[in-house]
Amino acid sequence: MTPFGEKLRAIRAARGLALKDMAAGLQVSPAYLSAMEHGRRGKPSRRFVHRVCQFLGIIWDEAEELQQLADLSHPRVVVDTAGLSAKATLLANLLAERVSAMDEAALDRLLEQVDPSGSRRDALMKTDGDGGED
């Protein structure tokens, strides 16, 4: 699952929307929306995120947060370490090799290192503006 997909699914669930109903409102197939929620599609386009925001009535800060999550939601990440140190390349390769085996606590520790403010994690954890967790 991607950050965008997880957030989208949480918002949909919080609003009691069936997948097929939301898909119809967005003019996409239920299979496409499900694939987007589960991270089996590429990074969502700005146009798609805008349509989601329009359909759900999401504006301002919430819309910006959703777009930021979309920008960080490509399920097949490429890390270009050309020109960086050997340590940077080693880190990128080890992370790619081992991320699937990491538990939530390990992921939280790494996220704390790369996002000390927690702003992106906070956006992921909030549901539709109620500040609650999924």
Side-chain angles (χ1 to χ4, degrees):
M1 191 168 277
T2 63
F4 176 80
E6 187 170 343
K7 178 73 170 184
L8 185 60
R9 187 177 178 118
I11 292 170
R12 186 173 59 75
R15 294 193 179 192
L17 288 168
L19 182 94
K20 66 181 178 103
D21 295 333
M22 186 166 172
L26 295 173
Q27 300 177 338
V28 298
S29 71
Y32 177 86
L33 185 56
S34 177
M36 187 62 70
E37 285 185 356
H38 289 92
R40 293 188 304 266
R41 298 290 302 183
K43 181 176 109 174
S45 68
R46 287 194 171 274
R47 183 171 185 258
F48 182 76
V49 175
H50 180 73
R51 286 178 22 211
V52 167
C53 290
Q54 282 186 315
F55 177 76
L56 296 172
I58 295 173
I59 59 171
W60 307 104
D61 291 344
E62 291 176 90
E64 186 177 328
E65 285 178 1
L66 196 59
Q67 183 60 60
Q68 288 174 351
L69 290 174
D71 292 342
L72 296 170
S73 290
H74 200 297
R76 291 181 180 86
V77 178
V78 175
V79 179
D80 182 1
T81 61
L84 300 180
S85 71
K87 283 183 185 177
T89 301
L90 175 63
L91 174 62
N93 280 276
L94 287 173
L95 185 59
E97 180 181 287
R98 298 180 183 167
V99 69
S100 64
M102 291 181 182
D103 62 19
E104 292 296 311
L107 294 171
D108 285 339
R109 287 190 302 274
L110 284 171
L111 283 167
E112 178 62 32
Q113 292 295 310
V114 296
D115 184 24
S117 72
S119 60
R120 293 176 179 166
R121 283 172 284 148
D122 291 346
L124 177 61
M125 297 309 295
K126 287 192 295 188
T127 56
D128 187 29
D130 65 5
E133 292 187 19
D134 189 28

